[in-house]
Amino acid sequence: MKKGLIRLSSNYLLRQSKLFSINNRLVFRFCSAKQEKHEFKAETKKLLDIVAKSIYTDKDVFLRELLSNASDALEKQRFLATQKGEQVPSDLEIKIELDEQKRTITIEDSGIGMTKQEMIDNLGTIARSGSKQFLEQVGTQMNDKIIGQFGVGFYSSFIVGDTVEVVSKSERSEKTYVWVSDGTGTFEISEAKDYFQGRGTKITIHLKPDQAIFSKKTEVLKTIQRYSNFINYPIVVNGERQNIVSAIWVRNKNEITPEDYNKFYEYISNSKLAYKYKLHYSTDAPLSIKALLYIPQTHMEKYGMQMEEFDISLYCKKILIKKNCRELLPHFLRFVKGVVDCEDLPLNISREGYQDTALIAKLKSVVAKRIIKEIESEALRDPANYLAWYQDFQNFIKEGVAMDDEHRNSMTKLLRFQTNKSEDFISLDDYISKLPQGINNIYYYLAPTRQQALTSPYMEPFSNSEIPVILTMNHMDEVVFKQINEYSSKKFVNIESDQAEVDKVAQKSTEENEKKEETNVETTIPNDEITPFCLWLKNELNPIISQVQISKRLKTSPAIIVSAISSGMRQVMHAMGQSTDDLKNLTLEINVQNPIIVNLNRVRKSNRVIASLASKQILDGCLLSSGLLRDPKEVVERQHKILNVLLTSEINTPIIEEVGAYREEAVKQKDSKKDDLDTEIIIDSDGNPQVVKKNKK
């Protein structure tokens, strides 16, 4: 006959049972003629009420606790059989029977069972852990197998039950006993003859009317999957095995096939998409950790739909402690999925929280460092494969660099950027290896596109230089570089805003060029006119421009805006809703050798109206290049006025150049009679420039 529960005939039931009423419900109790009634101690009554009503947050945890107890009972039985040199029993399993009509749930295991005295001691004394007593007897060799530690889990059954009946048979005793209590202060224990043939424990909970949902299979299955799906032993609900997925994170990685890893990832991620990388490791120092973590191929944040939710679960000896555990990883690693099992976890008595926050912080640090190290290893092993992943996940990496002081240095190694020298993405270490000797800066520039960056006036000092410049199109990189500040003793320099450092590069470049060619004095503003011109320009462009200075960096462009706040940082500040006073107290650098600036200086002496229009147009171009031009209305109006002059007049070469027209050849005179005419540009009553022709005197 199969070991376990023996089904008894109806006549035997009537002979061996006692019919009594609890809460107006009839209950059969298997017992002998003699019953012993025990009373909980006064302080125990109070504690029982606390356990049943206050310790646990969710009512469904009672099933987790009872399944954990059942698993411990089976593990003890397996261990004792091994110690005796016997074959491990083949019937080690947990059965759950549900009866919606009777409103009962029954959990039965074929484990070690209890004697009468053990039932009195373990079930009649709150906070006395039978598992803890067992470990004290056999030593620490089963620490990683036994779940129970507090001795209160069983009493969570009173959260949902009116009455709890426990029938148990130990191989160390010939008799079977039944323990019954309604949790109000007393329990009864009596002999139940011929109930078990072998050994085991069966717990029947008579559910409260408002907790009848736990007699439904769907609710029980949901609870099992949430908390206890990875218990070592089969869990059979109404005859059907439920916990099919095994806890592969506790197994040796050499025993696990790629298919096993794939199936487990599908299970925890609810996705058929393959993962990118996996990390399966175990360690005993500084904490006892077993972890299986996956790094996915893609994520939802790139679509701007939602923020990735933490999909990492914290376990203790394969029992779920917390799902979506935000405390387990830094926020920037929220894309990681998997499980972390820590046997050293300092749990609260409810096993729903932790007691030692310092230890949790240590666990968080250890796991994060291991993940970062794994990503770095993959980046070195297969750079092309890593770069494909990095394109999707770079914002997470940069968030870690910008926001996490502890992991900033290690995360910085994962960054990849293009430079003006190549479209290939390289690490900062690769960048530093390409710097000429004696250069102690890492230069970077932010622009909307690579092409705009390469043609920007700010890049002119580096156009013929061996110094590479990092090109970035993500304004978040400005924050990243500011937070890093230095890497390998190299300071980060924004070529747009760090004027002093860029001028050093420009000065060296200028000295080299001067050796090759001499400056044509006819293509520059005379020295005695520079100061008056700068003062006039400052006055015309006030209050946007508060200072005009001669540029050392510009070679071909007429002018640039210089500010302590770069365009990238302005974008960040605008995104955060902070005011930056964009169009105030800026510095304008001018190239006194640029033809536009030279001619502007000439025109201001003869036609201040056109000179004023041209100066503002130059400023507009500078603001546009630096990302400061936000309202184009005035710019468009000014352009229309200048176009009106060019399109409605026939004008000689000097004037065309003076109003800033970009033409390679002068307009040729078609009629010799025009030599007898002079032209003059005036502003009409509507404020538009007009060309007036009149005879020479």
Side-chain angles (χ1 to χ4, degrees), residues 39-306:
E39 184 173 351
F40 290 107
K41 295 179 180 179
E43 61 271 21
T44 303
K45 293 180 183 179
K46 295 179 182 178
L47 184 57
L48 181 60
D49 188 61
I50 293 173
V51 170
K53 297 179 181 178
S54 304
I55 289 182
Y56 297 98
T57 304
D58 299 319
K59 294 182 177 181
D60 59 359
V61 295
F62 85 92
L63 188 55
R64 179 196 70 183
E65 297 297 297
L66 296 183
L67 289 175
S68 297
N69 291 347
S71 176
D72 285 350
L74 295 169
E75 193 60 45
K76 294 172 189 176
Q77 183 61 36
R78 185 200 63 79
F79 175 80
L80 292 177
T82 303
Q83 288 292 94
K84 295 177 183 178
E86 300 175 355
Q87 186 175 357
V88 176
S90 60
D91 64 340
L92 299 180
E93 66 178 4
I94 302 170
K95 296 179 181 178
I96 299 178
E97 294 293 334
L98 305 169
D99 191 325
E100 292 188 44
Q101 291 185 343
K102 294 182 179 179
R103 220 168 56 233
T104 62
I105 177 172
T106 301
I107 299 99
E108 178 183 354
D109 68 74
S110 53
I112 192 171
M114 291 179 285
T115 64
K116 176 183 177 182
Q117 190 58 46
E118 287 172 337
M119 294 179 76
I120 294 173
D121 293 340
N122 295 337
L123 303 184
T125 308
I126 299 176
R128 173 186 170 90
S129 173
S131 292
K132 187 175 181 180
Q133 300 293 323
F134 182 83
L135 287 175
E136 291 176 354
Q137 296 173 12
V138 302
T140 59
Q141 53 189 310
M142 286 191 67
N143 277 349
D144 62 334
K145 305 292 185 182
I146 299 299
I147 302 168
Q149 53 182 306
F150 296 116
V152 299
F154 166 75
Y155 302 98
S156 63
S157 56
F158 290 106
I159 298 175
V160 297
D162 280 331
T163 305
V164 179
E165 299 179 38
V166 182
V167 179
S168 192
K169 168 71 169 64
S170 170
E171 287 184 339
R172 293 159 293 158
S173 173
E174 296 180 354
K175 297 181 179 180
T176 301
Y177 291 91
V178 59
W179 181 100
V180 181
S181 177
D182 59 5
T184 59
T186 63
F187 65 89
E188 294 180 356
I189 188 166
S190 57
E191 184 179 348
K193 295 182 178 179
D194 301 325
Y195 194 84
F196 278 104
Q197 182 181 10
R199 65 183 188 278
T201 299
K202 180 177 181 179
I203 301 173
T204 300
I205 303 175
H206 298 271
L207 297 167
K208 298 175 182 177
D210 61 344
Q211 302 302 322
I213 190 173
F214 292 109
S215 64
K216 296 181 181 295
K217 186 176 181 180
T218 53
E219 187 67 22
V220 170
L221 295 184
K222 183 172 69 175
T223 304
I224 292 173
Q225 187 175 29
R226 179 181 179 187
Y227 294 113
S228 308
N229 209 41
F230 299 111
I231 282 178
N232 275 343
Y233 301 96
I235 300 176
V236 181
V237 180
N238 286 0
E240 184 178 353
R241 170 78 183 267
Q242 297 303 320
N243 56 334
I244 300 174
V245 180
S246 64
I248 63 174
W249 68 83
V250 299
R251 292 163 52 190
N252 189 313
K253 64 177 68 175
N254 296 325
E255 302 173 355
I256 304 173
T257 66
E259 184 180 2
D260 292 333
Y261 283 122
N262 290 337
K263 287 183 177 179
F264 190 76
Y265 179 69
E266 288 181 10
Y267 172 78
I268 63 171
S269 67
N270 293 316
S271 171
K272 291 292 183 180
L273 294 176
Y275 57 87
K276 186 70 173 182
Y277 304 123
K278 75 172 186 302
L279 172 60
H280 186 186
Y281 82 103
S282 62
T283 181
D284 293 325
L287 297 171
S288 178
I289 301 171
K290 294 180 177 66
L292 178 54
L293 304 169
Y294 294 91
I295 297 172
Q297 289 197 43
T298 187
H299 62 92
M300 296 303 295
E301 286 190 23
K302 68 178 182 178
Y303 302 112
M305 297 172 60
Q306 61 187 36

Side-chain angles (χ1 to χ4, degrees), residues 531-542:
T531 299
F533 176 67
C534 289
L535 290 174
W536 171 82
L537 199 55
K538 174 185 174 182
N539 184 62
E540 288 292 327
L541 303 180
N542 187 57

Side-chain angles (χ1 to χ4, degrees), residues 433-499:
S433 70
K434 300 177 187 300
L435 285 175
Q437 189 174 2
I439 300 299
N440 296 316
N441 294 325
I442 298 174
Y443 296 94
Y444 69 94
Y445 180 55
L446 173 68
T449 67
R450 176 179 175 83
Q451 185 59 34
Q452 286 179 265
L454 293 174
T455 57
S456 169
Y458 296 99
M459 287 293 295
E460 289 185 13
F462 299 88
S463 58
N464 296 319
S465 171
E466 295 181 359
I467 301 174
V469 178
I470 291 174
L471 302 183
T472 174
M473 293 82 204
N474 187 340
H475 64 267
M476 183 179 180
D477 291 336
E478 185 71 61
V479 179
V480 170
F481 294 141
K482 292 297 183 185
Q483 287 296 99
I484 301 175
N485 193 30
E486 285 189 4
Y487 182 77
S488 294
S489 301
K490 308 286 186 184
K491 181 183 177 182
F492 282 88
V493 172
N494 187 328
I495 66 172
E496 179 188 347
S497 57
D498 293 344
Q499 180 180 354

Side-chain angles (χ1 to χ4, degrees), residues 495-664:
I495 66 172
E496 179 188 347
S497 57
D498 293 344
Q499 180 180 354
E501 295 296 335
V502 176
D503 282 348
K504 294 177 183 178
V505 177
Q507 183 66 31
K508 184 177 180 181
S509 176
T510 301
E511 291 173 357
E512 293 176 353
N513 290 335
E514 287 176 349
K515 295 177 182 179
K516 300 177 183 179
E517 56 184 18
E518 295 183 0
T519 303
N520 187 347
V521 295
E522 294 183 0
T523 61
T524 186
I525 298 177
N527 289 335
D528 60 343
E529 295 184 15
I530 289 178
T531 299
F533 176 67
C534 289
L535 290 174
W536 171 82
L537 199 55
K538 174 185 174 182
N539 184 62
E540 288 292 327
L541 303 180
N542 187 57
I544 298 176
I545 298 299
S546 61
Q547 183 178 358
V548 178
Q549 60 189 33
I550 308 305
S551 177
K552 298 178 181 179
R553 70 175 88 181
L554 294 178
K555 297 179 181 179
T556 60
S557 299
I560 57 171
I561 292 291
V562 178
S563 172
I565 304 176
S566 67
S567 59
M569 186 57 69
R570 283 191 177 89
Q571 290 181 44
V572 173
M573 295 174 72
H574 275 292
M576 297 173 63
Q578 299 181 13
S579 174
T580 57
D581 289 330
D582 284 345
L583 302 182
K584 256 187 193 179
N585 301 322
L586 300 175
T587 298
L588 182 70
E589 278 192 14
I590 59 172
N591 179 3
V592 295
Q593 296 180 11
N594 182 272
I596 295 177
I597 298 299
V598 172
N599 286 331
L600 178 61
N601 180 52
R602 293 174 183 169
V603 173
R604 74 177 177 89
K605 303 172 188 176
S606 59
N607 195 320
R608 291 182 175 273
V609 175
I610 292 300
S612 179
L613 281 173
S615 66
K616 291 179 174 60
Q617 182 65 25
I618 292 171
L619 176 60
D620 292 338
C622 294
L623 294 173
L624 185 62
S625 296
S626 60
L628 292 174
L629 191 60
R630 304 195 183 280
D631 185 2
K633 182 179 178 181
E634 290 186 11
V635 179
V636 173
E637 290 178 353
R638 195 154 36 245
Q639 287 177 343
H640 288 168
K641 291 179 180 180
I642 295 175
L643 286 173
N644 189 42
V645 172
L646 298 176
L647 296 175
T648 62
S649 65
E650 294 181 20
I651 179 172
N652 57 28
T653 302
I655 298 298
I656 291 175
E657 293 178 348
E658 287 169 2
V659 297
Y662 294 91
R663 298 176 60 176
E664 296 180 357

